[in-house]
Amino acid sequence: MQPLSIVFKIINIGNGKFLSTKNEVNNLIVEVINRNPTQPSNILRQLTIKEFQEAPAAKKVLTSNASFFIDKITDVEIAITYLPNEKELTEQFYTQWRFVQVSEPYKLIQYLDENKVVVYSERTKVIHTIKLDKTISVVVHEEQMLPSGN
């Protein structure tokens, strides 16, 4: 029997102001606003989603993760709120974002409990224990789910 091939889905959620910070995702949104200062919030949202999906610099930021090798990004959602009554420019835009990182496939070795799994990485050839939390879920790899030809 072959080990089950799984992927991890990691939900990333954040928010920020119209200000460059240490958060690279927020900085990507700020850059889009800076390049399109006269556009309304709904257009800025569409431009930012497109940038997240297509720009190499954005893909590099969105696919970085300290714990996993990331294969792709899905479910990108961004909200940009314009607050014209605020006096300072940095306070005039409030941003929120959410996206899901999907890891490269791992081989499931064992569930230790509902919050920990042991997996094998083909890339590193190492066994890892992964602690699951509300932002990380385990999903059977789609290739594993293909029906066999009967």
Side-chain angles (χ1 to χ4, degrees):
M1 184 171 174
Q2 284 238 322
L4 189 61
S5 182
I6 61 168
V7 295
F8 293 96
K9 287 192 173 184
I10 304 102
I11 298 173
N12 292 273
I13 300 171
N15 59 53
K17 295 182 179 183
F18 184 57
L19 182 67
S20 291
T21 65
K22 290 181 183 179
N23 186 303
E24 293 182 74
V25 176
N26 186 67
N27 293 344
L28 290 170
I29 298 170
V30 169
E31 288 172 18
V32 171
I33 295 170
N34 278 333
R35 286 194 308 264
N36 304 281
T38 60
Q39 297 296 327
S41 294
N42 62 334
I43 300 298
L44 288 170
R45 175 185 167 274
Q46 292 171 0
L47 291 170
T48 306
I49 289 173
K50 184 176 181 181
E51 175 107 358
F52 274 28
Q53 293 170 338
E54 296 175 4
K59 284 185 178 184
K60 182 179 180 194
V61 169
L62 299 177
T63 58
S64 64
N65 186 295
S67 302
F68 301 98
F69 296 113
I70 302 302
D71 184 44
K72 64 183 176 180
I73 301 300
T74 63
D75 303 329
V76 175
E77 188 52 61
I78 297 166
I80 300 173
T81 306
Y82 177 58
L83 306 166
N85 294 335
E86 295 295 331
K87 302 241 184 284
E88 293 195 33
L89 184 61
T90 58
E91 302 290 325
Q92 288 183 354
F93 290 94
Y94 180 72
T95 63
Q96 297 171 291
W97 64 86
R98 175 190 180 279
F99 60 94
V100 176
Q101 295 174 316
V102 180
S103 75
E104 291 183 352
Y106 291 81
K107 300 292 184 191
L108 177 64
I109 295 175
Q110 182 180 3
Y111 266 97
L112 296 177
D113 61 34
E114 69 264 4
N115 296 322
K116 283 187 186 170
V117 294
V118 179
V119 296
Y120 175 75
S121 169
E122 292 285 341
R123 180 185 268 202
T124 62
K125 308 289 188 221
V126 175
I127 294 175
H128 303 275
T129 301
I130 306 294
K131 184 176 183 194
L132 305 174
D133 61 28
K134 64 183 179 183
T135 64
I136 303 172
S137 59
V138 175
V139 179
V140 174
H141 187 237
E142 291 169 0
E143 287 181 9
Q144 189 88 19
M145 297 175 65
L146 294 175
S148 59
N150 292 351

